[in-house]
Every structure is written in C-alpha cells, then in structure tokens.
C-alpha cells in the first residue's frame, strides 16, 4: 500500500487535473453560446434564400437545372462523389470525431469512387495515417467557422461539380439536437430533389416573377449562396456539437475526479490512521518494556 506522501501527491495531481477540466468546460460553454448566436443571426438570410428558390419553382415548375434532379424524375448518371468531412482540430470531446469518421468510412465502403474534402486537423491526421488520399484539405481551423470560409469551400466543390468531376456532393457533419443528443449526419448537398423546395406551405409565394437575364442564371446565382449557407450552418452546427461534446466529456471527467478523490481520501485516512496506531503501539510496547526492566532490576535488589 502507498504511504501518506505518495497518496498526498496523487490527491494533489487529481485536484490539478480537475481544475483543468473545469476550465475547459467553461471555455467550451462560452464558445458554444457565441457560435449559436452567430448562427441564429445569419439564419434569417438563408431562410429568405430558400423562400426565393421556392418562388422560382412555383413560377417555372418545369425548369431544368444541373443542381436539381430532372423534372421527369429520371435518375442521374453515376459518377464520382465529393464528400466534405467536418471534424474538430483536437480530441478531448468524447466520440465526436470518430462518429463523423465512421460515417465517412461507411460511405467510402459503399461507394469506392469518392473524393474527400476535409475540415479539421483531427480528420486530416486520421486519413493521412491510414494513407487515404484527400482531394483537398481546407486549412481552416474548425474553431472559427465563418461565412467567407464556407463560401470558399462551396465555390471549390461546386466548380468541380460544374466541370463534371463530381456527380454528387455530400456533407458529413454533426447535428446537435439538444444538450444531450447529437448525431453524425451524412446528407446529400447537390443535386437537390425538387420536393425539397416544393411544399404546400407559404402559398403566397406563388406570385409570378420576372427573371433577368434568365431563370437559369438567377437559379445558378442563388444556389451558390444557398450551398454556401448550408455549409456554413454545417460548420457552425459541428462546432457547437464539438463544444457540447467537450462539455459533457469534461463534466464526466470532473465527476470521475471527485470519485477518485473520495477513494484516495479514504485510503489516505486509513494509511494515516494505521501509521498513528503503529506509533502508539510502538510507544506502548517501549513503555511496557521499560516497566518490565525496572521490575526486574527491583527484584534483583
């Protein structure tokens, strides 16, 4: 069994670790609130874009566009998939990163012809260690998602889609449903199904529109903004999920530290009590030996 000095050092070490986990919990909480605020402030703009796309389809329902499945419902020819994988820059967030990577590996197993686009140092290092080729690694920190960066990612992938190098674009990210639930999602970004924008809601959107120079040019321009907005929301949602996962992980680590400290305190008290008992026993035994010595000397006289 460890002595009191070793136990005191272990208790001090666990207490220092607990301070770090508590600090990381508070930092993650602050970052998550800020990111959610940024997303809430930009969401009305992208909702407005979605309504405008609805209005376009309500005005010209049979429009053909490369970003949408054909109006007659016929399937698109198969080709290379572009997959944007959004991970964190570091770990200490539970299973957050691995859940996203598992979704990417599953898609790659189902569809070998895949080009990877990665955001986040964790994902870059994971694929590099396994010698899985990455088409492009966006060297943006996952800690600071911005609309400008989302537009750069969108433009890069859409340009390849327009050139025919990609037949479909997927985004794999983490969606935070609430503080206790978050799911890794693999969603097809383009081409869209028309039903995605054709609903029975907002009947007032059916008013006629005039398009200049053409409805195709207007739709192409709007789609770049819409896809950029979707990627931005995925980046922010992933960042919020990462911070939420880190908060949960640090909270669990703090609770584990409390349990370890309780056990160590019990052990420390037991060892200390044993040492005190041993000292008392030694003093008592010494005193008894001295009395017996004095008694023998008295009898000898």
């Amino acid at each position: 069994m460890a002595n009191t000095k070793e136990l005191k050092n272990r208790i001090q070490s666990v207490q220092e670790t607990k301070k770090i986990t508590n600090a990381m919990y508070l930092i993650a909480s602050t970052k998550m609130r800020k990111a959610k605020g940024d997303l809430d402030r930009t969401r009305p703009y992208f909702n407005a874009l979605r309504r405008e796309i609805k209005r376009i389809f309500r005005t010209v329902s049979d429009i053909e566009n490369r970003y949408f499945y054909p109006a007659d419902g016929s399937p698109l020819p198969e080709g290379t998939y572009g997959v944007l994988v959004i991970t964190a820059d570091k770990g200490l967030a539970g299973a957050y990163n691995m859940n996203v990577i598992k979704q990417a590996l599953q898609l790659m197993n189902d569809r070998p012809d895949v080009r990877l686009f990665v955001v986040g140092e964790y994902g870059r290092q994971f694929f590099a260690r396994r010698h899985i080729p990455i088409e492009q690694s966006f060297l943006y920190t996952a800690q600071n998602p911005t609309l400008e960066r989302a537009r750069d990612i969108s433009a890069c992938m859409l340009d390849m889609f327009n050139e025919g190098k990609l037949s479909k674009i997927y985004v794999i990210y983490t969606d935070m449903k609430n503080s206790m639930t978050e799911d890794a999602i693999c969603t097809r970004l383009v081409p869209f199904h028309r039903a995605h924008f054709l609903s029975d809601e907002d009947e007032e959107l059916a008013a006629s529109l005039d398009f200049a120079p053409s409805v195709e040019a207007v739709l192409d321009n709007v789609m770049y903004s819409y896809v950029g907005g979707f990627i931005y929301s995925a980046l922010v949602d992933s960042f919020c999920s990462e911070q939420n996962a880190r908060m949960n992980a640090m909270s669990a680590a703090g609770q584990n530290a409390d349990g370890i400290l309780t056990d160590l305190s019990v052990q420390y008290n037991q060892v200390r009590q044993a040492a005190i008992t041993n000292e008392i026993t030694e003093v008592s035994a010494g005193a008894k030996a001295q009395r017996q010595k004095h008694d023998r000397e008295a009898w000898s006289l």
Side-chain angles (χ1 to χ4, degrees):
M1 181 178 291
N3 57 37
T4 55
K5 183 178 180 180
E6 292 174 345
L7 289 173
K8 286 180 68 175
N9 290 338
R10 180 75 189 283
I11 289 173
Q12 184 177 3
S13 175
V14 174
Q15 289 174 339
E16 293 297 327
T17 302
K18 185 181 177 183
K19 290 180 181 178
I20 295 173
T21 59
N22 288 339
M24 293 182 67
Y25 178 91
L26 295 175
I27 292 171
S29 175
T30 301
K31 288 182 177 180
M32 184 181 69
R33 287 197 298 269
K34 180 179 182 299
K36 290 182 68 176
D38 293 340
L39 182 61
D40 291 339
R41 284 191 292 271
T42 57
R43 182 171 287 136
Y45 169 72
F46 299 110
N47 289 339
L49 281 178
R50 182 183 177 87
R51 287 195 299 270
E52 292 307 311
I53 297 173
K54 284 184 179 182
R55 293 182 65 186
I56 293 174
F57 276 102
R58 287 182 181 276
T59 303
V60 187
S61 59
D62 58 346
I63 182 176
E64 293 292 346
N65 187 275
R66 60 181 175 273
Y67 296 121
F68 293 84
Y69 277 85
D72 59 4
S74 59
L76 293 173
E78 292 295 334
T80 303
Y81 288 6
V83 181
L84 175 64
V85 182
I86 303 174
T87 66
D89 290 327
K90 56 185 178 181
L92 297 177
Y96 166 80
N97 289 299
M98 286 310 302
N99 288 339
V100 173
I101 290 174
K102 286 179 182 177
Q103 288 279 351
L105 294 177
Q106 181 178 349
L107 179 60
M108 294 171 65
N109 289 333
D110 297 338
R111 178 76 183 185
D113 190 6
V114 168
R115 295 188 181 183
L116 287 177
F117 300 80
V118 181
V119 174
E121 186 62 28
Y122 192 100
R124 284 193 287 269
Q125 294 297 329
F126 179 89
F127 294 118
R129 286 195 300 268
R130 287 155 181 80
H131 306 290
I132 299 175
I134 299 176
E135 178 70 21
Q136 182 164 346
S137 181
F138 298 102
L139 300 178
Y140 305 135
T141 172
Q143 299 291 315
N144 186 26
T146 63
L147 184 56
E148 181 179 359
R149 292 173 177 176
R151 285 172 173 165
D152 290 342
I153 297 171
S154 170
C156 174
M157 300 187 74
L158 286 179
D159 287 345
M160 295 184 66
F161 178 82
N162 295 334
E163 294 169 2
K165 297 179 180 178
L166 301 176
S167 63
K168 294 181 181 180
I169 297 177
Y170 285 82
V171 180
I172 300 177
Y173 67 102
T174 307
D175 177 38
M176 189 180 75
K177 299 184 181 301
N178 53 58
S179 60
M180 299 302 295
T181 305
E182 52 188 34
D183 298 323
I185 295 176
C186 178
T187 183
R188 187 187 67 253
L189 187 53
V190 292
F192 290 98
H193 279 298
R194 296 168 184 269
H196 187 68
F197 293 97
L198 294 177
S199 65
D200 295 332
E201 301 175 356
D202 301 329
E203 291 296 334
E204 67 276 6
L205 297 179
S208 61
L209 297 173
D210 294 327
F211 302 99
S214 66
V215 62
E216 291 81 5
V218 171
L219 193 56
D220 287 347
N221 185 58
V222 171
M223 289 310 300
Y224 263 83
S225 297
Y226 183 81
V227 172
F230 187 97
I231 292 177
Y232 174 69
S233 66
L235 290 170
V236 176
D237 200 1
S238 294
F239 181 66
C240 291
S241 300
E242 175 196 349
Q243 302 309 317
N244 184 65
R246 184 163 291 115
M247 288 170 58
N248 292 333
M250 293 303 102
S251 177
Q255 293 175 3
N256 291 337
D258 289 336
I260 293 173
L261 288 173
T262 299
D263 294 339
L264 289 174
S265 297
V266 172
Q267 295 180 33
Y268 177 78
N269 291 332
Q270 289 175 344
V271 172
R272 186 180 64 174
Q273 187 63 42
I276 293 173
T277 302
N278 186 54
E279 291 177 0
I280 294 174
T281 302
E282 291 176 354
V283 170
S284 177
K288 183 178 180 180
Q290 288 294 327
R291 286 197 302 270
Q292 290 176 349
K293 179 181 179 181
H294 288 308
D295 290 342
R296 285 195 300 268
E297 289 176 353
W299 281 106
S300 63
L301 294 177

